[in-house]
Amino acid sequence: MDALEILTNIEKVIPYFQPIFSADEHKIIGYEVLGRMDTGNGSVESLGPFFGDEEIPDEYKIEVDERVTSMALEKFLEEEQEGYIFLNRDARLLMHDHGESFLELLLDYEKKGLDLNRTVIELSEKSFVGDFDQLVHLLLYYKTYGIKIAIDNIGGSSGQLDRLSHYSPDILKVDLYQLRNDAGNRVYKDILYSLSMLARKIGASLLFENIEINYQLQFAWLNGGRYYQGFYLKHPSASFLEPDLLKEKLKEKCQDYIRYEKKHLEAGYEFAEFLHKEISQTLMMLKKQTEEFDELLFDLAMHFTDKCFRLYICDENGFQVTSNVVKIDQKWMVEPRYKGKNWSWRPYFLENIIRMRINKKGLLSDIYSDIDSGESIRTYSYPFGNDHYLFMDLSYDFLFEEDGLLF
């Protein structure tokens, strides 16, 4: 369907509404407005390709967008919806007149009863090449009216992270499409984890979209998603839905995820306890034979050869006091060049040292990618005594074989 056909049949352009569900209440808390074309015989066609086509003049897109928005707001008010309404806007088109016409449109509907505090601008700015500062000023100005800001199309690249906080967004919208076909993509998951940390720091909520399978919904829940959206939950439709229609289903899913995560956490704590006892017993035996750190580490490595691939000892300030003892091609080697290096710059390093010092117990890390091998590993840290701490890197192969340790 070409642009001219859409414009000459603009009376057939209609809004569709995709529900957005909340993690805390398990109900619909709002709708994203999407443009559709009624092609007859009860079928509709998405206007996504129309808005995404760079060959189509901006004024055409603005005209169609204003019709979709106006019709959506009319229906939203007529049916006395109490949730949020998410309105998509391209940053480049919004800045055509510095956002004035769009604000005027919203203010007109405010006079009809629209609560601007329930209005969310869903902004796509990935390809925006204009004056970034002006865009930020406009969005901050919108927020003085109570309008919420959601930044769309994030999650596929870490390059946007340094820009997001400038908008003071209320919502970060994260696309989970990539996890549909590549659930094991560790780098992508790490980027999404970084986004969840950023959202927490700047006081924004996470909305995960394109949820098409149960795994994506579970991932969204596990990574701090407050809002969910996607075909797995509900497809867009021309009408609004009963807010509680999935309440029981989502409650059951949530309970499943809780049981699964508790099992995972319990497995980690139980393994950490087991490892603490085994290391303590082994050290008592080995220390009778030698007090030389590197030799002690080598003997310890031989004892735990089925579990780990690297060991070293640091003092409480993060300075490494031993060589690395590392397994290469199934053979244990000593690497003296690491002695004296400082690791206090690593995230949570000093925090974990203090925790071990106070609790007198070891700690099992989350899964992360090893810098040298790129494999997913976990590190067990153990209070060695005399302000020294043992670090034991557990291999992927071992974690894979142990139930509950590799997620």
Side-chain angles (χ1 to χ4, degrees):
M1 186 180 300
D2 61 31
L4 193 58
E5 183 179 357
I6 292 173
L7 288 167
T8 54
N9 295 278
I10 197 168
E11 73 281 356
K12 295 182 179 180
V13 169
I14 57 173
Y16 256 48
F17 304 92
Q18 185 166 27
I20 296 167
F21 295 82
S22 74
D24 46 7
E25 297 182 83
H26 303 142
K27 62 186 286 188
I28 296 173
I29 54 85
Y31 294 86
E32 177 184 357
V33 176
L34 304 169
R36 295 289 188 266
M37 184 82 172
D38 186 349
T39 57
N41 300 319
S43 62
V44 295
E45 192 169 325
S46 172
L47 294 180
F50 169 81
F51 288 114
D53 190 343
E54 296 181 359
E55 300 296 322
I56 296 175
D58 290 345
E59 56 267 25
Y60 293 177
K61 295 180 182 179
I62 291 172
E63 182 180 354
V64 173
D65 208 358
E66 286 186 353
R67 173 178 169 81
V68 172
T69 301
S70 296
M71 292 184 67
L73 292 175
E74 289 285 355
K75 186 176 179 66
F76 194 77
L77 292 177
E78 285 175 7
E79 301 195 17
E80 299 180 344
Q81 290 295 308
E82 295 181 354
Y84 292 96
I85 186 163
F86 287 68
L87 304 172
N88 286 290
R89 279 298 177 274
D90 182 289
R92 187 177 58 81
L93 296 181
L94 189 66
M95 291 300 293
H96 255 268
D97 62 352
H98 302 287
E100 291 180 9
S101 59
F102 180 61
L103 181 58
E104 288 175 5
L105 178 66
L106 294 181
L107 292 176
D108 285 343
Y109 278 94
E110 184 185 34
K111 296 173 184 175
K112 299 177 182 181
L114 177 67
D115 183 356
L116 293 185
N117 288 289
R118 289 284 177 177
T119 306
V120 183
I121 298 177
E122 194 168 306
L123 189 79
S124 177
E125 55 81 61
K126 215 173 214 180
S127 59
F128 181 65
V129 293
D131 190 320
F132 178 67
D133 289 335
Q134 285 191 13
L135 176 62
V136 170
H137 288 317
L138 173 63
L139 297 179
L140 294 177
Y141 179 60
Y142 279 172
K143 285 170 71 71
T144 64
Y145 287 90
I147 300 168
K148 305 289 188 295
I149 304 297
I151 304 299
D152 192 12
N153 291 327
I154 61 176
S157 167
S158 59
Q160 289 175 284
L161 298 184
D162 60 341
R163 298 181 63 168
L164 293 177
S165 59
H166 292 285
Y167 297 105
S168 296
D170 301 281
I171 296 171
L172 301 182
K173 194 166 186 184
V174 183
D175 190 342
L176 288 184
Y177 175 77
Q178 193 165 331
L179 287 187
R180 177 70 170 82
N181 299 312
D182 192 5
N185 190 327
R186 171 57 54 183
V187 174
Y188 183 71
K189 290 179 180 178
D190 288 343
I191 292 174
L192 297 188
Y193 177 76
S194 298
L195 284 171
S196 70
M197 292 297 100
L198 174 66
R200 180 171 174 269
K201 292 287 187 183
I202 65 177
S205 299
L206 285 177
L207 192 167
F208 286 93
E209 66 174 336
N210 271 328
I211 295 175
E212 299 181 357
I213 56 177
N214 180 62
Y215 172 76
Q216 292 169 310
L217 181 60
Q218 182 178 7
F219 182 89
W221 174 85
L222 185 61
N223 286 273
R226 185 179 183 184
Y227 305 123
Y228 313 132
Q229 180 182 18
F231 293 170
Y232 182 70
L233 301 169
K234 277 295 175 182
H235 285 252
S237 67
S239 58
F240 299 115
L241 306 173
E242 168 59 39
D244 291 334
L245 87 164
L246 291 185
K247 193 176 186 70
E248 290 306 312
K249 175 184 176 181
L250 289 176
K251 184 177 179 180
E252 289 176 7
K253 290 289 183 185
C254 182
Q255 289 174 335
D256 288 343
Y257 302 156
I258 290 171
R259 283 192 291 269
Y260 186 82
E261 181 62 10
K262 285 170 71 175
K263 180 182 177 182
H264 164 58
L265 292 172
E266 287 167 359
Y269 281 115
E270 288 171 2
F271 177 73
E273 287 287 335
F274 167 79
L275 209 53
H276 185 95
K277 292 177 182 178
E278 189 172 7
I279 291 174
S280 297
Q281 293 171 358
T282 306
L283 283 174
M284 285 180 63
M285 176 183 67
L286 294 177
K287 279 185 177 180
K288 295 177 181 178
Q289 303 172 16
T290 179
E291 290 291 336
E292 207 284 319
F293 276 157
D294 280 9
E295 185 178 342
L296 187 64
L297 274 186
F298 197 89
D299 291 339
L300 200 61
M302 298 300 292
H303 185 86
F304 290 97
T305 190
D306 62 325
K307 296 181 177 66
C308 67
F309 69 95
R310 183 168 52 218
L311 301 95
Y312 54 97
I313 295 174
C314 292
D315 67 18
E316 66 174 1
N317 293 322
F319 287 95
Q320 188 164 328
V321 299
T322 67
S323 305
N324 272 3
V325 175
V326 60
K327 189 194 301 183
I328 301 174
D329 296 330
Q330 300 305 311
K331 292 183 179 180
W332 286 102
M333 312 287 290
V334 176
E335 297 180 327
R337 70 179 184 276
Y338 288 94
K339 190 178 291 188
K341 289 184 179 291
N342 183 268
W343 306 112
S344 62
W345 54 268
R346 286 177 169 173
Y348 311 114
F349 185 94
L350 292 178
E351 178 184 344
N352 288 338
I353 292 290
I354 299 300
R355 287 174 62 190
M356 286 190 288
R357 191 176 73 189
I358 292 174
N359 297 326
K360 304 294 191 294
K361 282 190 175 182
L363 295 172
L364 184 64
S365 76
D366 292 335
I367 295 172
Y368 65 96
S369 295
D370 180 52
I371 293 176
D372 294 329
S373 67
E375 286 193 337
S376 297
I377 68 169
R378 301 180 78 167
T379 297
Y380 181 73
S381 313
Y382 174 88
F384 192 79
N386 297 321
D387 297 329
H388 289 91
Y389 298 86
L390 167 70
F391 295 87
M392 179 184 291
D393 290 336
L394 306 173
S395 68
Y396 175 87
D397 291 340
F398 169 73
L399 295 172
F400 182 79
E401 294 296 331
E402 293 295 312
D403 184 38
L405 292 184
L406 188 63
F407 286 90

